[in-house]
Amino acid sequence: MSIGKLARVAVGVIAILGVIGLSAATAQPVAAATYDNVNPDGNACQNTAIVARHKDILDNQNKIAGYVELRYSTACRTVWARVHGPKGSQGDSYGPRGYVHRNSDGKQLSVIHCDSTGTNCWSNMLNDAGVTSYAHGNVDESSAGPFEATTTSY
């Protein structure tokens, strides 16, 4: 092979590698992103969920009124908030509430789902691949509330 032909082949290979590199650099985590703002309940992501962070919610007498969890799916690489606490007595404004917050872009999803007891509530999921997030929760168990807590980031 002549030196001129070898140089043309080398330039072509470098150009192809540059295009491949550019495509890889701009690719998004498609699988995880498809779960953004999806309910984890009844979703396969819930099957690999762990409690990444947990924080007790204390009332004004330092007694545990509930807790907030940052849940993480190891398969889907997603997070969501789960808050447990009383529904609140008559006259109280609400039961467990909160949100999950992604630190990289500030995206936040509120706790909007509850089980049939109304004491376990959760948010939709956020993609957490390669970033950190935290959960915040509050419960309103008495006229002195609401009481709140925030997990550390994971």
Side-chain angles (χ1 to χ4, degrees):
M1 185 181 291
S2 73
I3 297 213
K5 191 172 186 179
L6 186 58
R8 285 192 304 271
V9 169
V11 168
V13 169
I14 291 170
I16 289 170
L17 289 175
V19 169
I20 290 171
L22 181 60
S23 297
T26 59
Q28 297 296 317
V30 176
T34 61
Y35 295 113
D36 254 2
N37 206 21
V38 172
N39 186 352
D41 188 39
N43 187 294
C45 297
Q46 184 177 0
N47 298 336
T48 63
I50 62 167
V51 177
R53 297 288 186 263
H54 172 102
K55 181 83 173 182
D56 289 333
I57 300 172
L58 303 177
D59 68 13
N60 58 346
Q61 297 176 359
N62 258 1
K63 293 182 181 168
I64 296 174
Y67 59 83
V68 57
E69 294 176 340
L70 179 67
R71 309 269 299 164
Y72 176 75
S73 169
T74 57
C76 300
R77 298 183 73 184
T78 55
V79 291
W80 61 96
R82 184 167 73 175
V83 185
H84 173 81
K87 284 188 346 186
S89 58
Q90 213 170 22
D92 286 334
S93 57
Y94 52 82
R97 296 282 187 255
Y99 55 84
V100 61
H101 177 96
R102 184 168 52 208
N103 294 321
S104 62
D105 62 359
K107 182 155 179 136
Q108 211 164 268
L109 295 176
S110 295
V111 168
I112 58 172
H113 308 285
C114 292
D115 66 9
S116 60
T117 68
T119 61
N120 294 295
C121 302
W122 59 92
S123 69
N124 284 345
M125 297 182 285
L126 281 176
N127 169 22
D128 193 57
V131 297
T132 61
S133 301
Y134 65 86
H136 177 86
N138 58 56
V139 296
D140 190 11
E141 68 168 359
S142 70
S143 60
F147 307 108
E148 56 191 311
T150 303
T151 68
T152 56
S153 293
Y154 177 82

